[in-house]
Amino acid sequence: MADDRPIWCSNFLYNSRTFRNLEYQFSDEERHSDMRSRHLEGQPHTEGDMPDEIFCVSGTKGDKLPDIFSITGRLLLVSERFKSLLEEFELGATKFFRVNVLEGDRETPANSGPFYLMNYTEFREVAVPEQMPDLHNAGVRWAVGDLKATPIMVRPERLEGLDFALDPVVYDLAFFSDGLVKVIKAEKIKPLSFVRCVAACLLYTSP
């Protein structure tokens, strides 16, 4: 990705618009705990780490699931259509695992599937929090909250070589290349939304 192209960001992992009320079940509780902790840290999974089943609850319908959505534990699921689109871009070590998504009866497959768990493993410190005074302090990390409330300052070169990455410091931000965003918009992938980032100023101190 060329440095003169814009970078876009989204907070889809922490946005209620992309959350769907689904739960998951493991036959082995120890495997569940291990998978969830490693997933939140962005560590790689294997097929054996996947839940035995993921199922709709509280009125959620399997025929209404979008191309990308998060569920309990910030697990991220994508449709086959979106997976195929994403695989045309540079995602680094990020991988996809097919998962068993069921209706609320826990027997009927969701007919809007198949779906894949997106094992996101690429983290880059793209945001420049010291130039974003309206960030929320979240302990050792930061959060933006409302993307439209403050300009998202970035170092575009830090996403070089990737089309998608999460930020480990400003934890509610995910960054996308301009090329990927253009295709997502053209294909009408829902319910993602984006904000164009602003290239941060380089600050120098006198010797």
Side-chain angles (χ1 to χ4, degrees), residues 2-3 13 24 57 86 96 101-102 111 136 147 157 161 164 171 183-184:
D3 286 347
L13 268 177
Y24 49 85
V57 295
L86 287 167
F96 301 90
V101 180
L102 305 173
N111 62 13
H136 304 291
L147 289 182
E157 69 276 7
F164 170 80
Y171 72 85
V183 173
I184 289 173

Side-chain angles (χ1 to χ4, degrees), residues 15-85:
N15 190 322
S16 60
R17 292 182 62 245
T18 52
F19 179 81
R20 293 298 183 272
N21 205 356
L22 285 82
E23 299 285 349
Y24 49 85
Q25 182 69 46
F26 288 82
S27 57
D28 182 344
E29 186 58 34
E30 183 176 345
R31 182 164 62 92
H32 171 202
S33 299
D34 181 60
M35 182 269 187
R36 180 169 180 177
S37 62
R38 289 191 296 108
H39 182 78
L40 294 176
E41 294 170 0
Q43 296 184 25
H45 294 313
T46 65
E47 290 285 355
D49 295 326
M50 295 301 103
D52 297 296
E53 60 182 41
I54 299 173
F55 51 93
C56 300
V57 295
S58 300
T60 300
K61 300 294 185 182
D63 61 346
K64 303 293 186 182
L65 297 173
D67 286 303
I68 178 170
F69 56 97
S70 61
I71 66 173
T72 300
R74 292 203 295 278
L75 301 188
L76 183 63
L77 302 187
V78 298
S79 66
E80 189 162 53
R81 180 172 83 105
F82 193 25
K83 169 183 172 289
S84 297
L85 183 156

